[in-house]
Amino acid sequence: MKKHEFLAALEKGLAGLPAAEIAARVAFFGEMIDDRMEEGLSEEAAVAAMGAPDEVAAQIVKEMPLGTLIKEKIKPRRRLETWEIVLLVVGAPLWVSLLVSLISGIVSLYASLWSGIASLWAAFGATVASAVGGVLASLPLFFVEDPAKGLFLLGSGVAAAGVSILLFYAALFLTKGLVRLTKACALKLKYACMGRSEG
């Protein structure tokens, strides 16, 4: 692939980003290709070292702050007419309250999911403490006072240790899953702001 083909494919993959951002990224990769060619690589080898243009574009979109894309999306393309401004102002009590409700609902759902995961981590910590406490409390009973109670406490501590292992893996799995879901939703939102489906 030639340099101009790579840069054209990259520019196409970045369509929907702010124009200044696209120009900066295309210029950056053009300079990188030129630098590699100055180091002695052929044009094709220098371009191949960059990777596939669609993968490079996807990585750029992943690293792009969501705020930049939203700001670009809501920036007016033209000047608003007087009647549009009046309609926005008059309708503000309705559309602002609906928007706030929607955002509040999404934030509440997200916070609830994290609260559930935090509860699992707290349960894990409690069972670890129970396991350690049960084993330590069983020692004096087992060897000095009442071996039956000591054996019961030792068994309870070992059982709590087993439950804590299960809770650890469940909490870890759900934490990683929610982080992946958050990243996937943010990426979908980025592509939606760009006006296209995910690359």
Side-chain angles (χ1 to χ4, degrees):
M1 179 182 286
K2 299 286 187 183
K3 174 185 169 182
H4 68 91
E5 295 171 326
F6 176 87
L7 296 178
L10 179 62
E11 188 171 354
K12 182 180 176 189
L14 297 176
L17 292 180
E21 196 65 43
I22 295 173
R25 299 301 176 128
V26 169
F28 173 77
F29 279 95
E31 289 174 15
M32 282 184 65
I33 293 169
D34 290 340
D35 289 345
R36 301 239 170 152
M37 288 169 55
E38 287 174 9
E39 292 170 2
L41 289 177
S42 68
E43 184 176 2
E44 289 80 7
V47 169
M50 297 295 107
D54 55 341
E55 291 174 5
V56 173
Q59 188 61 37
I60 290 170
V61 171
K62 282 182 186 175
E63 294 170 0
M64 179 73 51
L66 184 58
T68 303
L69 294 172
I70 291 175
K71 185 178 173 184
E72 178 69 15
K73 188 72 174 176
I74 63 174
K75 187 166 50 173
R77 303 283 183 240
R78 61 178 175 77
R79 213 180 134 119
L80 293 176
E81 299 290 329
T82 307
W83 69 270
E84 291 172 318
I85 295 171
V86 170
L87 190 60
L88 282 173
V89 171
V90 170
L94 177 63
W95 68 262
V96 169
S97 60
L98 289 174
L99 183 63
V100 168
S101 297
L102 176 66
I103 292 171
S104 299
I106 291 170
V107 170
S108 298
L109 176 64
Y110 191 67
S112 297
L113 291 172
W114 276 114
S115 296
I117 290 174
S119 298
L120 268 179
W121 282 111
F124 162 71
T127 53
V128 167
S130 297
V132 171
V135 170
L136 292 178
S138 72
L139 296 177
L141 289 173
F142 194 66
F143 292 111
V144 178
E145 297 174 26
D146 188 356
K149 287 182 183 176
L151 190 58
F152 175 76
L153 274 176
L154 181 63
S156 298
V158 170
V163 170
S164 71
I165 291 170
L166 292 175
L167 285 173
F168 172 78
Y169 283 110
L172 185 64
F173 174 78
L174 290 173
T175 301
K176 287 181 177 179
L178 189 52
V179 168
R180 280 194 301 270
L181 178 65
T182 302
K183 288 180 180 177
C185 288
L187 191 59
K188 285 192 181 299
L189 187 56
K190 286 180 181 182
Y191 278 108
C193 287
M194 292 171 64
R196 58 193 177 103
S197 60
E198 192 169 342

